[in-house]
């Protein structure tokens, strides 16, 4: 079994070399190909062919394919969280509205509208964790950190909503979200987002109480 570094430094940040146009092109191309074709199934030659970058240039930036995979996952994390949290903020200041807006955003993603250059091929982080099943593998750890960051964001919103157990509610909402993603991908059901939204609304009604007339919940 491979041995990995035990450092718990957050691998989502502070780990990349200084960006250059060619490096960015490599990362963007690799991200698209890894996402649509799989991490293990996509070879370096295909990435080089799609990006038009020379092999020497690639290895000037990345010592291995594994390093490129991590860079692509970090890019996806940045793009996805910025998009999702931005869509949630568009719903206004009410915490409950922000949480429900998450499911509307998921529906756009499932229908291929959120990241049109990528389409929808499931969750890149679920896919990575599946392909790199060892929980100590850097790609698996990075996937777990991404999922935890979403829970952390939900916890903050649940706290603002006045939840007595904000972390517990956040974990429950995250499970509903993950179920919607898996269903949309495996069964080809983009409407799973709206079903999940109804479940989340019922959960919040039971946990937080009904929406007040002022709509603060």
């Amino acid at each position: 079994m491979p041995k990995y570094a035990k450092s718990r430094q957050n691998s989502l940040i502070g780990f990349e070399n200084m960006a250059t146009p060619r490096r960015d092109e490599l990362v963007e191309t690799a991200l698209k190909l890894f996402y649509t074709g799989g991490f293990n199934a996509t070879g370096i030659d295909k990435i080089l062919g799609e990006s038009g970058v020379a092999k020497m240039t690639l290895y000037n930036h990345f010592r291995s394919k594994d390093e490129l995979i991590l860079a692509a996952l970090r890019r996806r994390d940045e793009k996805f969280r910025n998009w999702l949290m931005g869509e949630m903020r568009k719903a206004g200041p009410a915490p409950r509205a922000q949480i429900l807006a998450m499911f509307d955003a998921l529906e756009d993603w499932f229908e291929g509208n959120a990241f049109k250059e990528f389409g929808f091929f499931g969750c890149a982080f679920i896919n990575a964790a599946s392909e790199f099943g060892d929980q100590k593998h850097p790609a698996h750890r990075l996937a777990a950190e991404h999922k935890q960051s979403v829970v952390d964001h939900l916890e903050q919103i649940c706290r603002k909503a006045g939840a007595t157990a904000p972390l517990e509610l956040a974990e429950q909402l995250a499970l509903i979200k993950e179920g919607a993603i898996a269903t949309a991908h495996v069964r080809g059901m983009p409407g799973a987002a709206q079903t999940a939204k109804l479940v989340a609304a019922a959960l919040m009604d039971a946990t937080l109480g009904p929406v007040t007339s002022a709509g603060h919940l």
Side-chain angles (χ1 to χ4, degrees):
M1 179 178 294
K3 302 296 183 182
Y4 307 111
K6 294 182 179 180
S7 171
R8 296 303 299 167
Q9 179 182 1
N10 190 326
S11 58
L12 291 174
I13 59 175
F15 199 79
E16 297 190 8
N17 298 325
M18 184 177 296
T20 67
R22 299 304 272 169
R23 186 185 190 282
D24 283 344
E25 191 172 355
L26 272 170
V27 173
E28 286 291 334
T29 301
L31 173 57
K32 181 177 181 179
L33 293 175
F34 289 147
Y35 180 60
T36 58
F39 295 93
N40 290 313
T42 301
I44 288 295
D45 288 343
K46 183 172 181 62
I47 295 168
L48 294 175
E50 290 279 340
S51 65
V53 174
K55 184 171 289 189
M56 182 177 295
T57 302
L58 184 149
Y59 287 111
N60 283 338
H61 293 291
F62 305 101
R63 291 172 295 180
S64 66
K65 180 182 173 182
D66 283 347
E67 284 195 0
L68 181 56
I69 287 172
L70 294 178
L73 285 171
R74 291 186 196 100
R75 182 66 57 85
R76 179 64 173 186
D77 168 71
E78 179 184 12
K79 284 176 173 284
F80 188 87
R81 285 196 291 145
N82 286 343
W83 164 75
L84 182 61
M85 294 173 188
E87 292 299 306
M88 293 169 74
R89 285 192 296 269
K90 288 178 184 178
R96 189 188 302 240
Q98 290 185 2
I99 290 170
L100 294 179
M102 175 176 70
F103 296 97
D104 294 329
L106 291 180
E107 184 174 40
D108 284 342
W109 178 34
F110 298 164
E111 291 178 342
N113 298 321
F115 302 94
K116 292 186 178 180
E117 71 274 29
F118 294 99
F120 177 65
F121 290 82
C123 172
F125 300 95
I126 294 175
N127 297 345
S130 177
E131 290 201 42
F132 304 102
D134 184 346
Q135 292 183 347
K136 295 180 181 179
H137 190 285
H140 194 117
R141 289 207 317 264
L142 197 151
E145 288 170 9
H146 167 81
K147 295 298 185 181
Q148 183 62 53
S149 70
V150 175
V151 173
D152 292 344
H153 185 64
L154 289 171
E155 182 185 5
Q156 292 176 9
I157 298 175
C158 292
R159 195 176 302 279
K160 291 177 182 177
T164 56
L167 177 57
E168 181 179 349
L169 179 56
E171 292 283 8
Q172 291 168 343
L173 291 166
L175 282 173
I176 296 170
K177 165 186 168 287
E178 298 302 328
I181 294 171
T183 299
H185 184 206
V186 175
R187 298 177 62 193
M189 290 176 55
Q194 291 304 312
T195 301
K197 182 179 179 180
L198 293 174
V199 176
L203 173 63
M204 288 189 290
D205 284 345
T207 305
L208 300 172
V211 179
T212 65
S213 59
H216 294 312
L217 291 179

